[in-house]
């Protein structure tokens, strides 16, 4: 199926021309609304780039993030645009995102890494008390109500890398921290390249792993195998059902990370059982696992209320 055709921008576009002219004069307050209208007419990177510049000029990095995220590959294509992307991330600041993106930077990442570290040190010097208060809350998530746990990890990117690693690690074995939140913390440690061994508690298992060596939740091989078998079992006759099932199951199986392979020994059989949970071939172990996944999802839904 063909995607939506987007007309390429050009300087004859009135709002684009006015926005670029205002940006050149550093009249950011005028540039932003014109460039926003131009982007709405033609949502292309060539407009997103100056719009991000204008928003940063307005000191509104939060508003620039959606445009940076939508065109991440484009921003990483040249050193100049990569620098603009990092202007955005470090202005927020979102250090987790900054370190995660570093894995995809073209060329030598060392200068960007040095830039992130310098920003973190400056932030610690200027805002040490606020950062310490957030870190203390994150370090003891199990003592907070479920909805407070969810709120706390929403601010995870605000913490400099070393502080975040130190604060996140104790939660990975805390039974009072919801599995979804534990996995989010572990995935964050992988994103920032934590290379220290940590202990992790999972479904009926535990172990010691090095976060930087993990593939990340979205790339876990056993999880991907299960989802592939689900798609094969449903077939192409019902694409809506296929997409919905895969989306829900990907979310549920995240609770099992990073020990998905220990909980699911046979991805094909698991997929068949998941689609027919009352079937005669569903094993007692699978029934127990399905019940656990359902309970965790219900608990997570209650956390959001």
């Amino acid at each position: 199926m063909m995607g939506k055709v987007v007309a390429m921008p050009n300087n004859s576009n009135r709002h684009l021309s006015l926005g670029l002219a205002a940006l050149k004069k550093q009249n950011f307050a005028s540039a932003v609304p014109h460039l926003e209208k131009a982007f709405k007419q033609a949502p292309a990177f060539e407009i997103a780039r100056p719009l991000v510049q204008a928003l940063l000029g307005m000191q509104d990095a939060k508003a620039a993030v959606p445009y940076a995220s939508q065109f991440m590959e484009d921003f990483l294509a040249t050193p100049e645009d990569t620098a603009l992307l990092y202007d955005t991330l470090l202005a927020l600041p979102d250090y987790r995102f900054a370190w995660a993106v570093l894995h995809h930077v073209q060329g030598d990442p060392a200068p960007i890494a040095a830039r992130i570290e310098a920003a973190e040190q400056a932030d610690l010097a200027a805002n040490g008390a606020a950062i310490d208060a957030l870190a203390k809350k994150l370090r003891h998530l199990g003592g907070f109500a479920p909805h407070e746990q969810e709120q706390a990890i929403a601010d995870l990117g605000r913490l400099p890398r070393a502080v975040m690693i130190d604060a996140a690690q104790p939660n990975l074995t805390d039974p009072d921290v919801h599995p979804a939140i534990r996995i989010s913390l572990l995935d964050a440690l992988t994103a920032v390249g934590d290379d220290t061994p940590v202990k992790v508690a999972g479904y009926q298992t535990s172990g010691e792993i090095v976060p930087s060596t993990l593939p990340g939740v979205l790339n876990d091989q056993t999880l991907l195998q299960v989802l592939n078998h689900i798609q094969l079992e449903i077939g192409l006759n019902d694409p809506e059902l296929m997409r919905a099932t895969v989306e829900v199951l990907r979310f549920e199986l995240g609770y099992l990370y990073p020990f998905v392979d220990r909980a699911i020994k046979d991805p094909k059989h698991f997929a068949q059982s998941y689609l027919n949970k009352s079937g005669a071939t569903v094993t007692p172990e699978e029934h127990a696992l399905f019940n656990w996944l359902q309970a965790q999802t219900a608990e997570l839904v209650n956390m959001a209320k």
Side-chain angles (χ1 to χ4, degrees):
M1 184 175 67
M2 293 183 64
K4 182 175 66 174
V5 176
V6 177
M8 292 301 293
N10 58 71
N11 287 334
S12 64
N13 180 300
R14 176 175 174 271
H15 288 297
L16 177 58
S17 298
L18 291 171
L20 292 176
L23 179 62
K24 187 175 182 179
K25 296 177 182 178
Q26 296 190 346
N27 185 353
F28 305 119
S30 177
V32 167
H34 281 299
L35 291 172
E36 285 178 335
K37 289 179 180 178
F39 185 83
K40 189 173 183 180
Q41 293 172 1
F45 175 65
E46 288 76 4
I47 302 177
R49 184 201 299 114
L51 178 51
V52 166
Q53 291 175 316
L55 287 167
L56 291 181
M58 292 285 290
Q59 298 185 354
D60 193 355
K62 185 175 181 180
V65 169
Y67 301 104
S69 299
Q70 183 176 348
F71 296 98
M72 185 69 66
E73 290 185 12
D74 298 283
F75 275 105
L76 290 170
T78 68
E80 295 78 14
D81 290 333
T82 298
L84 179 58
L85 172 62
Y86 272 91
D87 288 343
T88 305
L89 298 179
L90 297 179
L92 288 169
D94 190 329
Y95 300 116
R96 175 192 175 179
F97 200 174
W99 285 109
V101 172
L102 190 65
H103 300 297
H104 306 285
V105 166
Q106 303 290 323
D108 183 9
I112 300 290
R115 183 182 174 189
I116 301 172
E117 290 171 350
E120 289 179 336
Q121 291 304 311
D123 196 5
L124 283 167
N127 305 292
I131 290 172
D132 186 57
L134 180 58
K136 286 179 178 177
K137 185 175 183 179
L138 182 63
R139 192 175 292 115
H140 303 288
L141 281 181
F144 291 94
H147 71 280
E148 293 176 314
Q149 294 180 20
E150 193 171 36
Q151 291 171 356
I153 67 165
D155 297 323
L156 193 65
R158 176 67 185 82
L159 295 177
R161 179 179 181 273
V163 178
M164 189 270 278
I165 289 174
D166 179 68
Q169 288 183 352
N171 297 289
L172 300 179
T173 56
D174 188 343
D176 291 322
V177 177
H178 190 277
I181 291 180
R182 293 205 304 263
I183 299 316
S184 292
L185 292 173
L186 178 58
D187 216 34
L189 295 179
T190 296
V192 303
D194 181 14
D195 57 5
T196 57
V198 297
K199 292 183 178 179
V200 180
Y203 172 71
Q204 296 185 348
T205 188
S206 62
E208 187 174 81
I209 49 87
V210 177
S212 63
T213 65
L214 296 175
V217 177
L218 295 179
N219 296 312
D220 181 89
Q221 285 302 304
T222 301
L223 189 152
L224 292 176
Q225 288 178 39
V226 172
L227 296 180
N228 182 56
H229 284 299
I230 285 288
Q231 294 181 76
L232 293 174
E233 290 290 332
I234 296 177
L236 298 175
N237 293 329
D238 197 338
E240 288 299 324
L241 175 62
M242 180 193 296
R243 280 193 292 270
T245 304
V246 166
E247 184 177 340
V248 171
L249 185 54
R250 183 190 294 277
F251 181 78
E252 290 181 337
L253 293 185
Y255 302 148
L256 304 175
Y257 183 81
F259 308 118
V260 187
D261 58 331
R262 300 189 195 181
I264 301 175
K265 303 295 178 60
D266 186 340
K268 182 177 181 180
H269 190 275
F270 178 90
Q272 293 170 335
S273 298
Y274 184 85
L275 294 173
N276 183 20
K277 294 176 182 175
S278 60
T281 61
V282 180
T283 68
E285 292 78 12
E286 288 173 334
H287 275 302
L289 180 53
F290 294 148
N291 290 337
W292 185 83
L293 291 173
Q294 185 177 30
Q296 299 311 314
T297 299
E299 185 177 332
L300 194 61
V301 169
N302 288 332
M303 286 172 59
K305 293 181 178 179

